[in-house]
Amino acid sequence: MAGEAGRLLTGFGHRYAVVVRVATLPPIAAIGLLRTSPAEFAATAVVVAVAVVWTCAQGWWLRRAPIAVDVAVLLGLCLTVFWTDAEADGNTGWLRLLVVFACVTWQWHTPLLTGALAALIAGGGMLVVFAAAGLNLSASQVWVPAMAAMSRVAWVLVTRAAERADRTAAEAEQARREAAVAEAVRAEERELANSLHDTAATTLLMVGLGQVPPDAEWLAPQARRDLARLRFLGDGRTSAEADLVELLRADLGAGHLTVELDAPPLLPLPSEVAGAIAGAVREALNNVRRHAGTDRGRVRLRGDARAVSVEISDEGKGFAVGERGTARRGLRESVHGRMNRVGGTATITSAEGAGTVVRLKWAA
């Protein structure tokens, strides 16, 4: 099992096996000591002590020891019935319990074949030793391999449930990655469409509507800037940080609009944030050029690397903010959409004959 649930279950199986074997030691040891005869108490106490020490040691200090060593120690403990004369006292129950719990818990942290062989050798060896000592075999003694088999079946069911959980988690993670990739592609397409709308499309529209004469001096440089920006977006190369003030200044000379910029000398921001704010400012200025009926605008920038506010204002003819025209693509995608995607906000205040103020805010 390579998944997270499988790895956790493997570790849990070993730890829980240790806990079960250690937790059952006190009652098992008590049975061994209480049922022995006074004459054999010392010998039985030694055997019980060895069983306790070994069970604790293999649980905490010898977890890497081969399971064959555990099997050999348990069979060695069974052979002590000839020394402690346990067959005469009928004091073999504690040894049987020791072997049963070992055979059952082995199934939780060993491969199928290893666990099955260990249970057969330990359980079968115990029966052989007891028979050789002259003990009458009971049904409970014969059931040791069967109990180990039931433990294995239960563990296999738990393991398969963990594998299903890992598959489900892997499928969910794959779906999440695919959704993230698809969203990234859509975001890139939106940004490219917004940039096309803000640059070349806007310039061509102004020329086509007759708002700008084809021989205007600023038109050719503006077209070159538009194409350069689109090529840059197509390259997909961005740095970790960008200077927002530099990005804003790069657009101030574009078009027949005089812009008063009130800003600090530098304002480095994450590249994605700086690009989004600059793009929103650019579209707001485009709207001033196209709709405000004025050739002047103001941009006021305040903030630092943790929080930024930008105010774009004009004293043009303004408009009623509630009109349907305010939902056009330029405001919806190029201003509100850009700010929303970087966790910022955009608000527009305007009235007919009172100019327009666009406020952009972003905080880390």
Side-chain angles (χ1 to χ4, degrees):
M1 296 181 292
E4 181 64 18
R7 288 192 294 270
L8 291 174
L9 186 61
T10 299
F12 172 80
H14 204 141
R15 289 192 299 272
Y16 193 55
V18 171
V19 169
V20 169
R21 290 184 65 177
V22 172
T24 55
L25 271 179
I28 291 175
I31 291 172
L33 294 175
L34 292 176
R35 294 199 58 181
T36 188
S37 64
E40 302 298 337
F41 183 85
T44 302
V46 171
V47 177
V48 169
V50 171
V52 170
V53 170
W54 168 250
T55 302
C56 294
Q58 66 86 29
W60 277 295
W61 303 309
L62 302 177
R63 293 179 63 178
R64 301 288 182 183
I67 193 172
V69 177
D70 202 6
V71 173
V73 171
L74 289 174
L75 290 178
L77 292 171
C78 291
L79 287 170
T80 62
V81 297
F82 295 104
W83 176 44
T84 60
D85 203 21
E87 73 280 2
D89 301 329
N91 189 22
T92 58
W94 74 278
L95 290 169
R96 186 173 66 253
L97 290 173
L98 203 65
V99 173
V100 166
F101 282 108
C103 292
V104 168
T105 56
W106 284 335
Q107 312 310 313
W108 304 341
H109 61 90
T110 61
L112 176 60
L113 183 59
T114 302
L117 287 175
L120 286 173
I121 294 172
M126 178 189 69
L127 296 178
V128 171
V129 170
F130 288 175
L135 296 173
N136 294 323
L137 299 182
S138 64
S140 60
Q141 292 168 334
V142 177
W143 267 86
V144 173
M147 286 186 282
M150 288 187 287
S151 176
R152 173 62 67 173
V153 169
W155 189 252
V156 168
L157 294 176
V158 173
T159 299
R160 289 182 178 175
E163 290 172 347
R164 285 196 298 271
D166 282 329
R167 284 195 298 270
T168 302
E171 291 168 0
E173 177 63 18
Q174 179 65 22
R176 187 197 65 78
R177 284 197 298 265
E178 291 175 355
V181 170
E183 177 58 29
V185 171
R186 288 194 295 269
E188 185 177 353
E189 291 173 347
R190 282 195 301 266
E191 183 58 29
L192 185 58
N194 290 340
S195 296
L196 181 62
H197 169 274
D198 300 348
T199 56
T202 296
T203 304
L204 292 173
L205 181 62
M206 293 173 68
V207 174
L209 293 176
Q211 295 177 349
V212 177
D215 57 349
E217 294 182 359
W218 62 268
L219 187 57
Q222 176 63 37
R224 285 193 291 271
R225 280 191 291 267
D226 292 346
L227 291 175
R229 182 172 292 116
L230 292 174
R231 289 195 192 99
F232 176 76
L233 288 172
D235 290 342
R237 292 176 295 182
T238 58
S239 57
E241 268 193 355
D243 180 12
L244 177 57
V245 178
E246 181 182 351
L247 294 179
L248 294 178
R249 290 188 187 279
D251 288 320
L252 293 187
H256 56 295
L257 185 67
T258 301
V259 180
E260 176 187 337
L261 177 63
D262 180 9
L266 295 172
L267 184 48
L269 291 172
S271 181
E272 182 183 9
V273 174
I277 295 175
V281 172
R282 182 168 57 248
E283 175 58 17
L285 293 176
N286 281 341
N287 285 333
V288 174
R289 294 187 190 100
R290 294 166 55 189
H291 307 295
T294 180
D295 62 353
R296 299 188 66 84
R298 291 185 298 277
V299 177
R300 182 173 180 269
L301 171 63
R302 293 291 182 270
D304 51 32
R306 296 183 299 276
V308 175
S309 65
V310 185
E311 185 177 283
I312 307 99
S313 60
D314 67 77
E315 297 179 356
K317 58 186 180 181
F319 62 93
V321 176
E323 289 182 354
R324 183 181 301 178
T326 62
R328 58 182 178 265
R329 178 184 176 86
L331 292 175
R332 185 182 70 249
E333 291 294 336
S334 296
V335 178
H336 290 287
R338 277 192 171 113
M339 294 304 297
N340 289 340
R341 283 191 288 275
V342 295
T345 60
T347 57
I348 300 173
T349 305
S350 185
E352 293 183 359
T356 302
V357 178
V358 179
R359 294 182 177 86
L360 311 176
K361 291 186 178 181
W362 173 84

